[in-house]
Amino acid sequence: MRIKDGDEEQSETNVTAVTPAPAPSSPEPPFTIFDRRQQWLIIAIVSTAATFSGFASNIYFPALPTIADNLNVSLELINLTVTSYLIFQGIAPSFWGPVSDVRGRRIAYAFTFVVFLGACIGLAEAKNYATLIVLRCLQSTGSASTIAIGSGVVGDITTRADRGGFMGIFQAGLLVPVAVGPVIGGALAGTLGWRSIFWFLAIYSGSFLIVLLIFLPETLRSVVGNGSRVPSNFVAKFPLSTYAKLTQVEWDPETSPSDLAPRKRIDVTGPFRILVSKQAAPIVVFLAVYYAVWQMSITAMSSLFKDKYGLSEIHIGLTFIANGVGSMVGTLIAGRIMNLDYRNIKRKLDLRAAATLESGQGNSARTEETEFPLEKARFRLVPIYSCLQCLSIILFGWTINFTVHIAVPIISTFITGWTVISMQTIISTYLVDIFPSEVPQLVPVSTSPDVWAGATFTICAGVQLLALIGPLTQWKYGATWRKEMENQKSQAASSA
């Protein structure tokens, strides 16, 4: 008897049959040619690429009051540049994600970084508010998709059994800027002026683009399979040939293209169809609410800490460290916990299957398959994280409202960052599990609250608790919905 985990992947972690099976005439190819060191190198590159989305957003926060004064506009209008950035951060992956799924990861990365670099140079020279807000949208278009493309790379080279840990490392790349970005931004704005923030990003992105093109191989499975297939163009081939030599894998130009993942056409509506599907919508809406409240809290920190505690740009930047550290701790721990949960559930099902077979209740003449409870392996801790974030948001709002010692709201931001990113890591990993070739990315809009801080964040916590219905629904019905989706795909493939 074999426990089916829903993956068509081949890996050392797949469950072997209890009954002996005849040895195959030739060994099956590995899921990926990249060994563990190469996988870590690739994850490190795409994780670093993902830092640009966070840097472009968070490095900006401590300078918001200064930019408002310099451009002679209200703080509310400057806060709209944060909102517009997040809107395009949610829209852009619907274009760049499909491009990376069809043309390749390297090509998509190259174009996104060129757009980002140009926008940063323009922002450094911006002279008025209109230019600022337009270029912030363009900057977001270039940086946001590094998350979607990176998630695709993680899905290309990992299996479900170890994906949680790798996704945790990848998510950490998103979160380093949450901790150090505001510190850098505050220091630059307080010494060299706010324009130096964008010159810093321009230099950083230009340098990294060169590193990426030299060291990141193409991983898209419809182009290179498990990495051992000859790509059709030089852009995809370089530097994959070097990785193949290091892995001691010989490319076979005569190999049938049927061994590759199927090629697709660019479909910009695909991510939106996934977002409204019943397999994704409940948990995406849930995450959108929690992410939005988190963004509201950190966007409001600059003005609230300046008004309530009289902090300078540099000191405001330092207050963001706790939130960033909490975020990084959350994603690293969540990834490890997901791997442990997955393996524990798999092991229990294996033991149960073996016991059933030995008791004579199983049929040794055929292989029976039991559906793996993926939702239980992924969502076990989501309700706990949800309640903790609600409490931390309430604590943040009321302690600032009554000007309690600044250490208390700062500690609350640590808890908020830890819990929301833990949930984001869990849900992102689950979406890669069930949509391995199309990873929807949703980043909701946030605004800076203008009413009483305590009441505002108490209302936010109530909305968050209501949104918990989403993952609970997924927990109960997710397995059934996944089975229906797999049956529909099988019927479509057989009729094609």
Side-chain angles (χ1 to χ4, degrees):
M1 182 177 291
R2 180 167 66 91
I3 305 304
K4 182 180 178 183
D5 66 358
D7 251 343
E8 299 299 327
E9 305 165 347
Q10 300 160 341
S11 75
E12 64 203 16
T13 55
N14 282 354
V15 181
T16 55
V18 175
T19 56
S25 56
S26 60
E28 294 183 350
F31 178 73
T32 178
I33 69 165
F34 303 112
D35 60 29
R36 186 64 65 171
R37 286 184 180 181
Q38 293 167 355
Q39 284 180 313
W40 280 114
L41 174 60
I42 293 171
I43 297 298
I45 293 173
V46 298
S47 181
T48 303
T51 64
F52 286 88
S53 180
F55 263 126
S57 175
N58 290 276
I59 201 172
Y60 186 64
F61 289 144
L64 293 178
T66 302
I67 295 174
D69 293 339
N70 186 263
L71 297 181
N72 295 317
V73 295
S74 66
L75 184 60
E76 286 74 20
L77 286 177
I78 293 298
N79 283 337
L80 284 179
T81 66
V82 178
T83 301
S84 61
Y85 181 94
L86 292 173
I87 291 174
F88 278 80
Q89 195 175 43
I91 295 174
S94 66
F95 172 73
W96 291 116
V99 169
S100 75
D101 288 338
V102 177
R103 300 299 181 187
R105 313 301 188 194
R106 282 170 55 84
I107 292 176
Y109 265 132
F111 279 109
T112 57
F113 273 103
V114 168
V115 171
F116 180 81
L117 175 60
C120 289
I121 295 174
L123 283 165
E125 296 294 329
K127 298 296 191 296
N128 54 64
Y129 176 75
T131 303
L132 180 73
I133 196 167
V134 170
L135 289 179
R136 279 288 286 174
C137 294
L138 186 63
Q139 185 189 43
S140 179
T141 302
S143 66
S145 298
T146 57
I147 304 173
I149 301 170
S151 296
V153 172
V154 175
D156 291 337
I157 65 174
T158 63
T159 62
R160 281 185 180 175
D162 60 2
R163 187 171 294 148
F166 281 115
M167 186 63 77
I169 298 297
F170 169 68
Q171 293 279 350
L174 308 177
L175 303 171
V176 170
V178 178
V180 303
V183 179
I184 296 173
L188 290 173
T191 55
L192 301 177
W194 64 269
R195 297 181 189 278
S196 63
I197 292 175
F198 298 109
W199 283 121
F200 167 81
L201 291 175
I203 296 170
Y204 180 31
S205 60
S207 303
F208 179 75
L209 177 58
I210 297 173
V211 173
L212 183 144
L213 292 176
I214 293 175
F215 293 105
L216 181 68
E218 182 57 67
T219 62
L220 182 62
R221 300 187 73 84
S222 62
V223 174
V224 299
N226 67 352
S228 61
R229 301 293 183 261
V230 181
S232 58
N233 60 75
F234 177 77
V235 175
K237 185 176 181 179
F238 182 84
L240 183 58
S241 56
T242 303
Y243 281 79
K245 290 177 182 177
L246 292 173
T247 318
Q248 298 181 339
V249 172
E250 295 184 1
W251 287 355
D252 182 7
E254 305 300 326
T255 301
S256 169
S258 62
D259 292 341
L260 303 177
R263 294 297 296 269
K264 301 178 296 183
R265 61 183 178 84
I266 297 177
D267 181 12
V268 296
T269 64
F272 292 103
R273 291 199 302 272
I274 291 176
L275 290 179
V276 299
S277 68
K278 59 186 178 183
Q279 292 86 4
I283 53 174
V284 169
V285 171
F286 163 79
L287 181 60
V289 170
Y290 280 73
Y291 195 99
V293 173
W294 177 47
Q295 288 293 305
M296 285 177 62
S297 65
I298 61 177
T299 303
M301 281 175 64
S302 297
S303 57
L304 289 176
F305 283 159
K306 181 178 181 179
D307 295 341
K308 293 287 187 176
Y309 299 96
L311 302 185
S312 65
E313 288 91 346
I314 296 177
H315 290 145
I316 289 173
L318 294 174
T319 64
F320 285 82
I321 293 178
N323 178 65
V325 172
S327 300
M328 288 187 288
V329 169
T331 188
L332 293 174
I333 293 178
R336 292 182 178 274
I337 291 176
M338 279 193 291
N339 281 351
L340 290 174
D341 284 348
Y342 189 98
R343 291 165 185 164
N344 287 338
I345 292 177
K346 193 90 168 184
R347 184 170 57 253
K348 290 178 182 179
L349 291 176
D350 292 345
L351 293 174
R352 189 182 307 166
T356 301
L357 188 62
E358 290 176 359
S359 66
Q361 298 178 10
N363 187 353
S364 59
R366 66 184 179 88
T367 300
E368 297 181 1
E369 294 182 342
T370 303
E371 182 67 26
F372 184 83
L374 183 62
E375 288 72 23
K376 291 181 174 58
R378 297 303 192 208
F379 294 147
R380 181 174 66 90
L381 296 179
V382 167
I384 296 176
Y385 291 137
S386 170
C387 293
L388 284 175
Q389 185 184 342
C390 291
L391 292 175
S392 67
I393 284 293
I394 293 173
L395 180 65
F396 174 80
W398 286 107
T399 53
I400 286 183
N401 193 82
F402 291 106
T403 322
V404 177
H405 192 281
I406 194 171
V408 180
I410 288 177
I411 291 173
S412 75
T413 65
F414 173 89
I415 300 172
T416 302
W418 166 46
T419 53
V420 72
I421 295 302
S422 296
M423 292 186 287
Q424 178 177 310
T425 302
I426 291 170
I427 291 174
S428 296
T429 303
Y430 178 77
L431 290 174
V432 174
D433 287 339
I434 62 175
F435 300 106
S437 60
E438 298 178 81
V439 184
Q441 297 288 333
L442 179 65
V443 181
V445 176
S446 69
T447 55
S448 179
D450 295 322
V451 296
W452 203 21
T456 297
F457 288 108
T458 301
I459 294 172
C460 289
V463 175
Q464 288 184 149
L465 287 175
L466 184 63
L468 188 58
I469 295 173
L472 295 178
T473 302
Q474 201 78 26
W475 176 281
K476 184 173 183 179
Y477 300 106
T480 303
W481 292 341
R482 279 192 296 109
K483 193 67 176 178
E484 292 176 357
M485 182 176 64
E486 291 168 3
N487 291 337
Q488 291 172 0
K489 288 182 178 179
S490 299
Q491 293 173 2
S494 61
S495 62

